[in-house]
């Protein structure tokens, strides 16, 4: 619990979205929240603003909420010197142990 206040401090920068909802036979509901969908959506919006709005395939993917595919299309059609990438990241506070292998 020592890192909880620090994680709370970061909460205003991370918008959690419902990523799954499990309905159990006993009537309880388990909801999982995840920031990935929001990050992908915002990354796809940025890609569209960086010229992908003129790409017919990308606009179709964006309209269909296929944000990860929009970002992949961006990577496939832009030179290595102009790269936008959204990846999953995990917050790590100074109280958390270092990941294995680092």
């Amino acid at each position: 619990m020592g890192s909880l206040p620090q994680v709370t401090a970061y909460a205003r920068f991370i918008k959690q979205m419902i990523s799954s909802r499990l309905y159990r036979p006993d009537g309880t509901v388990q909801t999982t929240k995840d920031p990935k969908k929001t990050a992908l959506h915002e990354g796809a919006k940025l890609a569209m603003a960086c010229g992908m709005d003129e790409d017919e395939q990308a606009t179709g993917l964006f309209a269909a909420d296929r944000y990860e595919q929009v970002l992949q299309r961006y990577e496939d059609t832009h030179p290595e010197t102009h790269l936008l990438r959204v990846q999953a990241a995990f917050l790590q506070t100074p109280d958390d142990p270092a990941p294995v292998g680092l």
Side-chain angles (χ1 to χ4, degrees):
M1 286 253 175
S3 65
L4 185 58
Q6 292 175 351
V7 172
T8 304
Y10 299 125
R12 66 187 179 131
F13 298 107
I14 302 171
K15 183 177 178 186
Q16 299 286 324
M17 301 291 291
I18 293 174
S19 57
S20 69
R21 206 172 254 149
L22 177 62
Y23 296 91
R24 300 186 186 276
D26 66 359
T28 60
V29 178
Q30 179 183 348
T31 302
T32 303
K33 292 188 175 185
D34 184 0
K36 183 180 178 183
K37 183 175 181 182
T38 300
L40 290 173
H41 179 246
E42 293 303 316
K45 280 177 31 180
L46 182 57
M48 297 301 283
C50 290
M52 295 309 291
D53 57 342
E54 296 176 12
D55 182 296
E56 192 173 317
Q57 184 177 353
T59 56
L61 292 169
F62 189 84
D65 297 336
R66 294 186 174 166
Y67 308 127
E68 205 162 357
Q69 292 177 356
V70 171
L71 292 167
Q72 185 61 51
R73 176 84 177 145
Y74 178 88
E75 286 191 30
D76 292 346
T77 59
H78 283 72
E80 291 181 25
T81 57
H82 189 237
L83 183 63
L84 167 69
R85 181 174 288 160
V86 175
Q87 296 176 267
F90 300 94
L91 289 179
Q92 184 172 353
T93 65
D95 296 333
D96 294 335
V100 177
L102 292 181

